[in-house]
Amino acid sequence: MTSTERSPVRPTRQRRAVATALAGFDDFRSAQEIHDLISRQGDSVGLATVYRTLSALADAGEVDMLRNEDGEAIWRSCSDTHHHHLVCRTCGATVEVEGPAVERWTGSIAAEHGYADISHTLEIFGTCPACR
Amino acid sequence: MTSTERSPVRPTRQRRAVATALAGFDDFRSAQEIHDLISRQGDSVGLATVYRTLSALADAGEVDMLRNEDGEAIWRSCSDTHHHHLVCRTCGATVEVEGPAVERWTGSIAAEHGYADISHTLEIFGTCPACR
DNA sequence: GACAAGTTGACAATGGTTCTCAAGGACGGT
DNA sequence: ACCGTCCTTGAGAACCATTGTCAACTTGTC
Ligand SMILES: [Zn+2]
Ligand SMILES: [Zn+2]
Ligand SMILES: [Zn+2]
Ligand SMILES: [Zn+2]
């Protein structure tokens, strides 16, 4: 059960730095890359804090986290509605895409086989026009 | 460049053991679990060899490798036609699913944005009836 | 059997991610 | 401003899946 009281989230220098760094990217980046950008901007935030903040933002639905082919987590600030990604495998350029039909399809497939608590991952990789 | 000569693949006791272990599962398992099953069956194969063999089989398209929500690689021998998976996140029970409409959708989305050389990943996770 | 080349396994190394815990900061009440 | 409480942070250790190392061992071939 989720308790009704949420622990307050305090606006700290560190959390602001992570949010700013995220805004500086429009493609998916690893926690390390985000940490590096923060450092390069003169700020100093512990790597563990970067991970904590990214996880919290992901839980809150304010950033998307997915895994690259090596299983590493990569992150990107996204619109807050459910969507998927069309990602250039050369330069990382990302397009958010929606597919109501796909959402319906995954749900019905799962129901058909009696699975509950459904989640799904769907990513499309390709080469963007600029990288052709 | 891929050379035209392929290095010969020798049928060894270890590779047979991995294949047998794979056949003993009908769901996705980690390399560690596969290694454990081999041990339990009395055979002895180094973990590194399990990884090497699984990777080779995946490259050859004889097993599917995907990543669970923690980013760990999990493996399963699969049919050789293009399909996706509905996976129980508790016990790993897997259903292969096909969705021609989804295949069409990903293709058209990609074309619409000028992306070429399209590939995609789509996995559905949930809790199976037995694990409810 | 002898040779060249592929294969193995114990172990070390790698590297992303999480954990630990003492020190620091935010906030409400006074 | 001062306190007390609870949240937050960071340096480093710990974790752990995966990969690299390399000498010993197989396998296929002649
Ligand atoms: Zn591109
Ligand atoms: Zn979706
Ligand atoms: Zn199950
Ligand atoms: Zn598909």
Side-chain angles (χ1 to χ4, degrees):
Chain A
M1 288 302 98
T2 53
S3 103
T4 48
E5 14 227 336
R6 67 192 63 178
S7 53
V9 174
R10 295 174 179 170
T12 64
R13 171 181 67 77
Q14 289 86 345
R15 285 177 182 153
R16 243 172 288 124
V18 171
T20 303
L22 276 172
F25 291 122
D26 70 337
D27 45 10
F28 281 89
R29 298 303 178 116
S30 69
Q32 306 264 3
E33 287 175 313
I34 293 165
H35 178 256
D36 289 349
L37 177 60
I38 293 173
S39 302
R40 242 176 293 120
Q41 291 176 336
D43 252 318
S44 171
V45 176
L47 182 55
T49 299
V50 173
Y51 273 105
R52 279 188 291 245
T53 304
L54 288 173
S55 299
L57 288 173
D59 286 346
E62 291 181 46
V63 306
D64 280 4
M65 184 263 262
L66 61 88
R67 296 192 177 271
N68 65 18
E69 283 228 323
D70 294 332
E72 301 171 276
I74 49 179
W75 322 70
R76 174 180 190 265
S77 68
C78 278
S79 65
D80 54 358
T81 58
H82 179 84
H83 59 270
H84 297 279
H85 303 100
L86 171 59
V87 183
C88 174
R89 67 168 73 82
T90 299
C91 72
T94 299
V95 180
E96 292 186 16
V97 298
E98 286 180 61
V102 175
E103 306 304 321
R104 256 177 276 121
W105 180 76
T106 57
S108 64
I109 284 283
E112 191 175 305
H113 292 88
Y115 280 57
D117 294 322
I118 297 308
S119 67
H120 62 267
T121 66
L122 167 56
E123 314 301 336
I124 312 173
F125 296 95
T127 307
C128 80
C131 289
R132 201 77 59 74
Chain B
M1 289 300 100
T2 52
S3 108
T4 48
E5 14 226 337
R6 67 193 64 178
S7 54
V9 174
R10 297 175 178 168
T12 63
R13 171 181 69 76
Q14 291 86 343
R15 285 176 183 156
R16 243 171 288 124
V18 170
T20 303
L22 275 172
F25 291 122
D26 70 336
D27 45 12
F28 280 89
R29 298 301 179 118
S30 69
Q32 305 265 2
E33 288 175 313
I34 293 165
H35 178 256
D36 289 349
L37 178 60
I38 293 173
S39 302
R40 244 176 291 120
Q41 291 174 338
D43 253 318
S44 171
V45 176
L47 182 56
T49 299
V50 173
Y51 273 105
R52 279 188 291 244
T53 305
L54 288 173
S55 298
L57 288 173
D59 287 347
E62 291 181 47
V63 306
D64 281 4
M65 184 266 261
L66 60 88
R67 296 192 176 270
N68 65 18
E69 291 174 339
D70 294 331
E72 300 171 298
I74 50 180
W75 321 70
R76 174 179 191 265
S77 67
C78 276
S79 65
D80 54 358
T81 59
H82 178 84
H83 60 270
H84 298 278
H85 302 100
L86 170 59
V87 183
C88 173
R89 67 169 72 82
T90 299
C91 73
T94 299
V95 181
E96 289 187 18
V97 297
E98 287 180 60
V102 174
E103 306 303 323
R104 256 176 277 120
W105 180 76
T106 57
S108 63
I109 283 285
E112 192 175 304
H113 291 89
Y115 280 56
D117 293 323
I118 295 310
S119 67
H120 61 269
T121 68
L122 167 56
E123 315 302 337
I124 313 174
F125 294 96
T127 308
C128 80
C131 289
R132 202 75 61 73

